[in-house]
Amino acid sequence: MKPVEDVLLVVDVQYDFMPGGALAVACGDEVVPIVNRLARAFSHAVLTQDWHPRSHVSFAANHAGRKPFETMTLPYGEQVLWSVHCVQDTEGAALHRDLHVPHARLVIRKGHHERVDSYSAFIEGDRVTPTGLEGYLRNVGAKHVWLAGLATDYCVAWSALDARTAGFDVTVIEDACRAIDLDGSLERAWQDMRDAGVRRVDSADILN
Ligand code: VGL
Ligand code: ZN
């Protein structure tokens, strides 16, 4: 069992990212049993939940004439436009019912500001607004953030990079994640993570 300094950060295991969901990640449901097994090896776990108002700036439907997966320049930079997903208090925003991390201490909801997206569990898309997760982790003495969940190349990667910037050791558990992979985004994400010193393992390296 890993000590409290090691935190399993389980990113966005929500119905809208599952096959058939509003922003489906291929094979996204396959992470659920893997995350459940991992969770039993960690004494400390935190979950994230993508949690948007229906009027959210990241939804293509909220921009006349725009389609999902196009990009748009917003005041804080380039934004991919997505299908309407993870709307606050809807079924699609719910955590998967087969996800079992009963000892998770905290659920960080992100993307709740109407005009700013947040892939990262640490800092919103404007790159200045904190979610509070860094302060929480520091406060409870966390040293090493281990990531699992969806999607590898967006919310997992951005969270991993920001965790490194905040000074934590960071490891992504590759087989416990699945990617969206838009125009090479997965390859770029792994490159950026490698450059930042993020470690990459498989769940078997932890569980065996
Ligand atoms: C995510 C796109 C939009 C993710 C969330 O969880 O990776 N991707 N919102
Ligand atoms: Zn989102």
Side-chain angles (χ1 to χ4, degrees):
M1 175 78 91
K2 290 200 182 294
V4 66
E5 294 84 60
D6 288 273
V7 179
L8 181 65
L9 183 60
V10 179
V11 177
D12 297 1
V13 182
Q14 294 165 267
Y15 283 109
D16 274 342
F17 298 123
M18 298 295 152
L23 179 41
V25 178
C27 304
D29 53 337
E30 292 178 4
V31 307
V32 173
I34 302 172
V35 170
N36 289 343
R37 279 199 296 279
L38 282 166
R40 291 196 282 273
F42 282 82
S43 59
H44 191 174
V46 170
L47 312 178
T48 75
Q49 196 171 18
D50 213 37
W51 196 251
H52 302 305
R54 194 168 290 279
S55 55
H56 197 244
V57 71
S58 79
F59 296 165
N62 292 329
H63 303 277
R66 307 306 298 263
K67 294 200 169 50
F69 307 117
E70 293 178 3
T71 56
M72 182 173 182
T73 304
L74 294 181
Y76 58 82
E78 282 285 294
Q79 171 73 49
V80 179
L81 298 177
W82 305 105
S83 46
V84 174
H85 66 278
C86 297
V87 172
Q88 293 166 358
D89 246 349
T90 62
E91 285 294 311
L95 296 168
H96 197 297
R97 74 172 68 83
D98 297 328
L99 183 72
H100 296 300
V101 192
H103 57 304
R105 296 197 196 176
L106 177 73
V107 180
I108 283 278
R109 287 172 163 173
K110 59 186 181 56
H112 53 91
H113 288 125
E114 183 183 62
R115 312 214 146 269
V116 186
D117 203 4
S118 189
Y119 299 141
S120 168
F122 290 86
I123 305 172
E124 298 193 31
D126 60 5
R127 309 314 294 145
V128 291
T129 306
T131 64
L133 181 57
E134 178 183 345
Y136 164 81
L137 291 175
R138 226 184 268 301
N139 219 266
V140 296
K143 301 245 176 317
H144 194 151
V145 178
W146 301 76
L147 287 114
L150 306 171
T152 322
D153 43 344
Y154 286 92
C155 291
V156 171
W158 284 61
S159 298
L161 292 169
D162 284 347
R164 280 298 293 153
T165 302
F168 298 104
D169 291 331
V170 181
T171 302
V172 172
I173 308 163
E174 184 170 6
D175 63 318
C177 303
R178 292 292 181 280
I180 294 175
D181 202 9
L182 197 60
D183 300 324
S185 56
L186 181 59
E187 189 58 39
R188 271 200 311 282
W190 281 122
Q191 184 66 54
D192 292 346
M193 289 193 281
R194 187 159 47 239
D195 293 348
V198 174
R199 277 176 273 183
R200 177 175 178 175
V201 300
D202 274 317
S203 59
D205 300 324
I206 297 165
L207 297 173
N208 288 343

